[in-house]
Amino acid sequence: MMSTKAKIVILGGGFAGLRALYRLRALGERADIVLVDSRMTSLARPALPEVAFAGKPVEHARFPLERPVTRSGAAFVNHGIERVDALKRRVVLDNGDELAYDYLFLALGAKKDYDALRGFHEFGYSICDDTEAPRLASALSEFKGGPVVVGSAKSVWGTRVSAPALAAPCEGPIAEIMFMLGHDLRLRGLHKISPIKVFSPGEIFFEDVGTRVHADVGALIAREGIEVTTGKVLSRLEQGAVVFEDGDRWESALSIVLPPYSGNDVVKRSAGLGDEQGFVPTDQSMRHLDFEQVFAAGDGTAFSMPKLGHIAVMQADVASATLIRDITGEGEIPDYRPEIFCIANRGGEQATLIYSNDFFGGPIDLTLNGPIAHMMKWGFDEYYFHTAGHLPPDLATQGVELVLRELKQ
Ligand SMILES: Cc1cc2nc3c(=O)[nH]c(=O)nc-3n(C[C@H](O)[C@H](O)[C@H](O)COP(=O)(O)OP(=O)(O)OC[C@H]3O[C@@H](n4cnc5c(N)ncnc54)[C@H](O)[C@@H]3O)c2cc1C
């Protein structure tokens, strides 16, 4: 327990960093909090498929960071981060300045490693950030038809914590791409000349859900006439083709891929902070395995499987509660019970909500299809955007979960 004011530095203002900031506000006068991010805006990646396929302005997928941070009583530092010296408890910024901390909260996300994918910059498109999604939107507006290939590159994970090693970080965005693109092509009368072929590096498409969700999503995919092939590990993109490690070469007029994920470069540059792939190893209270004063949450942690905003927020809740307990000696630490909760738009007013903890040994494995799911996604995204990174109150979320379970009994 600390008697003086604790200096807390949060690195990253995405889902995990903002959630931590809003939770740690409870410390009031007992802490000085600084949030560092190289961006001026926080990017809501779940809104990016709509930027690519539904004409949503990219400005609606991001919001300025400084105001919500300072209104929370914290300081905002808009700088790149060079590295962390965890032994000396210092963060080194890219201009050489240093920030000392008592507690560090790592929320830097994962690196979307486009450079690791041969041919991506010349022949590929993606939707993972606010440069790629608009680039794809503009390519689509000029697309005149032809075979389309969609899928995830294989990612490699470290071994320090025992988390399930998925072949792809998260295939929810792949589902969203295939359905939304299919809808768009149909509207433009291009669908007959533009078959969509989907590949997955895993043995199963959507490795992280159970049989009921597979059956429901599989039926939708079949209805759309989309072909999904599993066990395909991407080798490179070429002019007019996608090439796999087994030598297969698929013709492609438009190749949309999720790149491999790896640990954040800051973590890779910081001695002792990451595992072999640069992901942060923590225990289940989200405390670093080797540095007691370091906490982590979100895509950059070794535990976050799949890489999902919902899981980033759950981890931030656990990490913040642990940190608050360290400082005040008070408060309950919630159990880390991962689950999948996401909503994939399918074009127009259709969406599929997936709620499942089957992969983690739980009993829930369900979908909700239709306009209500679409409305819920709209509601979550708007709430997040207009409240600068808050999520609907726990009670509302728990209510939704209860209704979903009842519906599927
Ligand atoms: C297309 C797409 C759709 C998705 N849809 C959903 C969905 O529907 N539901 C869902 O739950 N999840 C979804 N996800 C996953 C979700 O977006 C991520 O899990 C989530 O963004 C992870 O949050 P994070 O805070 O860990 O990392 P990030 O959101 O990546 O935030 C990291 C922050 O750290 C900052 N940063 C990084 N490096 C540095 C540096 N060197 N110096 C300074 N600052 C730095 C970044 O600028 C950024 O603000 C989707 C992902 C994608 C790509």
Side-chain angles (χ1 to χ4, degrees):
M1 215 193 301
M2 289 195 74
S3 52
T4 54
K5 236 178 178 188
K7 273 188 243 157
I8 303 175
V9 175
I10 301 173
L11 301 187
F15 271 83
L18 285 178
R19 181 67 165 201
L21 172 72
Y22 296 145
R23 289 295 195 223
L24 294 173
R25 261 189 330 195
L27 285 166
E29 289 303 307
R30 281 179 283 197
D32 275 330
I33 305 178
V34 178
L35 187 144
V36 189
D37 201 300
S38 52
R39 295 175 56 99
M40 287 295 282
T41 57
S42 186
L43 178 60
R45 296 180 207 274
L48 291 172
E50 284 173 87
V51 172
F53 302 112
K56 186 174 204 154
V58 71
E59 286 68 33
H60 216 73
R62 58 193 181 201
F63 51 84
L65 263 174
E66 181 162 15
R67 204 165 119 91
V69 172
T70 52
R71 283 181 79 176
S72 300
F76 178 56
V77 174
N78 181 217
H79 258 293
I81 300 148
E82 181 53 30
R83 68 188 165 83
V84 173
D85 186 333
L87 288 175
K88 292 190 179 152
R89 292 193 199 157
R90 274 169 206 289
V91 175
V92 183
L93 303 180
D94 62 2
N95 62 352
D97 284 359
E98 294 191 357
L99 294 173
Y101 64 82
D102 297 311
Y103 294 95
L104 181 68
F105 199 110
L106 289 166
L108 289 166
K111 176 176 180 175
K112 318 295 180 295
D113 204 352
Y114 299 111
D115 296 345
L117 192 53
R118 268 198 295 162
F120 175 80
H121 294 296
E122 301 89 325
F123 311 115
Y125 293 92
S126 193
I127 54 163
C128 293
D129 54 57
D130 50 353
T131 48
E132 286 303 327
R135 192 169 80 87
L136 174 56
S138 136
L140 266 173
S141 67
E142 284 159 27
F143 186 61
K144 301 281 184 296
V148 181
V149 177
V150 179
S152 293
K154 188 176 164 79
S155 291
V156 181
W157 315 109
T159 56
R160 279 209 67 194
V161 306
S162 78
L166 296 169
C170 178
E171 289 185 312
I174 297 296
E176 237 174 333
I177 295 170
M178 68 168 103
F179 289 128
M180 292 185 83
L181 179 62
H183 178 82
D184 179 61
L185 293 173
R186 200 170 302 111
L187 284 182
R188 291 159 63 194
L190 292 173
H191 60 294
K192 292 213 171 105
I193 54 164
S194 311
I196 300 175
K197 277 176 91 172
V198 174
F199 68 88
S200 167
E203 288 310 313
I204 307 170
F205 178 59
F206 259 128
E207 288 173 281
D208 47 17
V209 293
T211 46
R212 262 175 93 170
V213 172
H214 277 138
D216 288 356
V217 176
L220 292 170
I221 294 173
R223 205 176 70 190
E224 296 295 317
I226 296 171
E227 191 187 319
V228 178
T229 310
T230 55
K232 302 300 285 181
V233 178
L234 189 56
S235 167
R236 63 183 181 278
L237 305 179
E238 292 181 348
Q239 175 79 51
V242 166
V243 184
F244 296 95
E245 281 188 358
D246 59 11
D248 270 6
R249 196 171 180 282
W250 290 2
E251 192 192 338
S252 177
L254 181 67
S255 308
I256 309 175
V257 293
L258 258 57
Y261 280 28
S262 80
N264 188 284
D265 284 339
V266 173
V267 177
K268 291 181 185 164
R269 288 192 291 262
S270 305
L273 214 56
D275 65 16
E276 311 95 294
Q277 303 300 329
F279 291 97
V280 182
T282 61
D283 62 20
Q284 296 244 348
S285 69
M286 305 316 295
R287 191 193 294 276
H288 197 285
L289 290 185
D290 305 317
F291 299 104
E292 218 188 339
Q293 314 292 106
V294 177
F295 294 82
D299 284 6
T301 68
F303 262 135
S304 70
M305 284 289 173
K307 303 294 183 200
L308 203 60
H310 186 67
I311 287 182
V313 167
M314 288 180 119
Q315 291 186 337
D317 284 350
V318 173
S320 308
T322 315
L323 209 166
I324 290 173
R325 177 92 150 253
D326 270 20
I327 292 175
T328 64
E330 288 163 13
E332 289 297 309
I333 301 171
D335 287 338
Y336 176 51
R337 289 212 194 97
E339 62 186 22
I340 316 292
F341 188 96
C342 65
I343 308 176
N345 273 325
R346 290 193 282 113
E349 269 125 42
Q350 295 298 318
T352 294
L353 181 154
I354 296 172
Y355 180 29
S356 176
N357 59 11
D358 177 279
F359 186 60
F360 305 101
I364 306 164
D365 194 44
L366 54 87
T367 62
L368 177 73
N369 292 300
I372 290 181
H374 176 71
M375 218 171 68
M376 285 167 70
K377 167 128 178 113
W378 177 83
F380 271 104
D381 287 359
E382 290 296 305
Y383 195 96
Y384 190 79
F385 177 77
H386 289 291
T387 62
H390 285 279
L391 292 171
D394 287 351
L395 261 181
T397 320
Q398 283 159 12
V400 167
E401 290 177 358
L402 262 177
V403 171
L404 285 173
R405 273 192 244 182
E406 286 297 317
L407 274 174
K408 295 286 169 165
Q409 289 304 325

